[in-house]
Amino acid sequence: MGPFRGLSLIVLLILTRSPSPTRSAEPGSNFVELRCETRQLPNNVTQAVIYYTANMETISNKVQSNHFAISSTGSGSDKMYGLAQCYNYLSQVECDLCFFKLHTVAPICYPSIGARVYLDGCFFRGDDYDFYKEVLGPTDHAICGNTTRYGQAFAASAGKAMAAAVSQAEVNGGYGEGRESSSAYAMANSLRTLDAGACRVCLSNASASARRCLPWSEGRVDNTGCFLRYSYTDFLGNGSKGSAVGVILWKRNSIIQKRRKGMNKVSVKMVSALSKSSLNFKYSTLAKATGSFDAANKLGERGFGTVYKGVLADGREVAVKRLFMNNRHRVIDFFNEVNIISRVEHKNLVRLLGCSLGPDSLLVYEYLPNMSLDRFIFDDQKGKELDWEKRFKIIVGTARGLAYLHENPRARIIHRDIKASNVLLDLKLHAKIADFGLARSFDDDKSHISTAVAGTL
């Protein structure tokens, strides 16, 4: 099995973990709030990105087995800290999905030095100091539902549910639940880094803040060291969402778990093979090569990602395509592009050098200084550089690339997104087809005809 086949399996594992942000049926994955610190990253931005990435990798491994993880990397003023925690009512699969969503949202704060991400079922914080014991802060506040108000009976029930949740949390390691009359539900959870006294102080403050939301049907408090939520809906997962949804989630999670079990042994071997090959780029290496994705190195937007020019330590120039994996379709496109282009090699196809998985996912290509054909044909001045002979050469090169894809002996490939911006040009204006995110592969006995609409504008 070739190294890129292994890479495809690794990316497929990510695909099985990716949440769909539009589906409220995925417990805990709904976005609540993002807080970015006003302080900016220090002068050594590259080192900060390296430490952030290392923290996220460590946290990702730990949170999969414990619903909680902390990590710190670096030393002195350059040290970076991270913490992630899932609320206890989530299953492990739901926690994994929730953390993956956190993982994709946190980089939005860049270049701020700190970030806090709150979802329905989990929390992440990263900063440049040890915040693990902090209890309250100036940004703590309540978020009240603003669609439905209930009467005093609900307010009384919700108040009792919150009191029960807080009381239970104080004697239950920082986590508690409360239910009243099948009409009010509450959850209280403090950070596992707090002792019992600090947990009590934080949740007492949160409870007082949440009561100001009553009688709204929903209220939550995102404090520095704890979280509290009440609702008219049973978000704790005890059947109020309907048995059909429960069956769907059970089946979906069972499928995910079966896929993981079936691929774990293979993926370990593939990760090992990839880490020893030239195909594996460290995220920190590519961050440094692009100047921490400096806008000055930006080549353009392409195929659900931004492309940057980078210079590796050995002097090689590369093009780095940066994709934020914040929805299922982009994960599919990422997997598809790696899977398709790694199986083909032709002088008229852009060459994939490798990839990296970090705060966001990166594809590394050969750098083509003349960039894309559209920069010539849609520019009156640059268009004059293309006489008929050069245009004919580009046309023939593009056609040869397509013919190779269509007649590939391994599997026929239909690009489905041929346009001027997806035809790149090298120094000698040789055409190279790029962007295989929408491409599809077909066996010899299958038709490539499809009624689905594909392509980009």
Side-chain angles (χ1 to χ4, degrees), residues 87-393:
Y87 307 150
N88 289 28
Y89 67 86
L90 293 191
S91 70
Q92 188 56 58
V93 171
E94 291 162 354
C95 178
D96 290 350
L97 293 171
C98 197
F99 177 75
F100 185 81
K101 181 77 171 288
L102 289 174
H103 193 293
T104 65
V105 174
I108 295 175
C109 281
Y110 179 88
S112 294
I113 202 167
R116 303 185 202 187
V117 186
Y118 299 85
L119 301 186
D120 268 347
C122 58
F123 165 78
F124 168 80
R125 182 177 179 185
D127 218 316
D128 66 342
Y129 71 95
D130 184 348
F131 54 83
Y132 300 147
K133 299 296 184 181
E134 287 186 353
V135 179
L136 302 173
T139 62
D140 296 348
H141 65 280
I143 302 174
C144 304
N146 58 2
T147 57
T148 306
R149 289 174 67 94
Y150 289 94
Q152 291 305 311
F154 169 73
S157 294
K160 291 180 180 179
M162 285 190 284
V166 170
S167 296
Q168 185 183 33
E170 292 175 356
V171 297
N172 189 43
Y175 179 78
E177 298 177 359
R179 298 173 177 82
E180 283 293 323
S181 305
S182 300
S183 62
Y185 307 86
M187 179 278 298
N189 206 174
S190 62
L191 294 182
R192 296 189 189 181
T193 50
L194 300 186
D195 59 29
C199 173
R200 185 180 303 108
V201 170
C202 190
L203 290 177
S204 177
N205 175 278
S207 179
S209 296
R211 287 175 184 275
R212 300 189 188 105
C213 290
L214 295 171
W216 289 112
S217 62
E218 180 88 21
R220 71 183 80 220
V221 178
D222 295 329
N223 276 354
T224 299
C226 64
F227 325 95
L228 186 144
R229 178 185 178 188
Y230 79 82
S231 178
Y232 183 78
T233 303
D234 183 4
F235 60 90
L236 299 172
N238 291 294
S240 66
K241 292 183 180 180
S243 58
V245 172
V247 170
I248 291 171
L249 282 174
W250 179 83
K251 287 184 177 179
R252 178 175 173 274
N253 293 339
S254 297
I255 290 171
I256 290 174
Q257 290 172 334
K258 287 179 180 178
R259 287 176 178 173
R260 286 180 180 173
K261 289 178 181 178
M263 285 190 256
N264 274 343
K265 293 182 180 180
V266 177
S267 64
V268 168
K269 294 180 180 180
M270 292 303 102
V271 170
S272 176
L274 181 63
S275 64
K276 297 176 183 178
S277 75
S278 60
L279 303 174
N280 180 43
F281 285 86
K282 291 184 177 179
Y283 185 91
S284 56
T285 298
L286 299 178
K288 183 177 181 180
T290 59
S292 296
F293 305 102
D294 193 305
N297 292 322
K298 182 178 177 179
L299 299 177
E301 302 284 341
R302 188 175 307 282
F304 305 116
T306 304
V307 182
Y308 297 85
K309 179 182 178 181
V311 181
L312 300 177
D314 59 8
R316 281 186 297 162
E317 293 181 321
V318 294
V320 181
K321 183 176 179 181
R322 186 187 194 192
L323 303 98
F324 287 100
M325 310 299 274
N326 58 359
N327 68 53
R328 182 177 298 275
H329 295 296
R330 294 192 183 185
V331 175
I332 291 172
D333 289 337
F334 176 79
F335 167 71
N336 196 61
E337 186 151 1
V338 172
N339 187 49
I340 292 290
I341 200 170
S342 64
R343 298 161 58 189
V344 296
E345 185 174 357
H346 189 270
K347 65 179 181 179
N348 293 116
L349 303 179
V350 69
R351 189 157 54 100
L352 178 68
L353 304 179
C355 74
S356 175
L357 304 174
D360 33 75
S361 297
L362 309 175
L363 295 170
V364 186
Y365 294 96
E366 61 177 318
Y367 174 69
L368 300 174
N370 279 318
M371 294 190 281
S372 55
L373 177 59
D374 63 323
R375 293 175 180 263
F376 286 86
I377 63 177
F378 297 126
D379 185 297
D380 292 338
Q381 295 302 316
K382 292 182 70 67
K384 296 177 181 178
E385 300 177 24
L386 298 181
D387 56 25
W388 171 242
E389 182 179 354
K390 293 176 181 176
R391 290 175 185 251
F392 183 74
K393 181 171 69 174

Side-chain angles (χ1 to χ4, degrees), residues 370 376 385-386 390 393-394 425-431:
N370 279 318
F376 286 86
E385 300 177 24
L386 298 181
K390 293 176 181 176
K393 181 171 69 174
I394 293 171
L425 303 173
D426 66 10
L427 274 174
K428 296 182 179 180
L429 297 177
H430 293 129

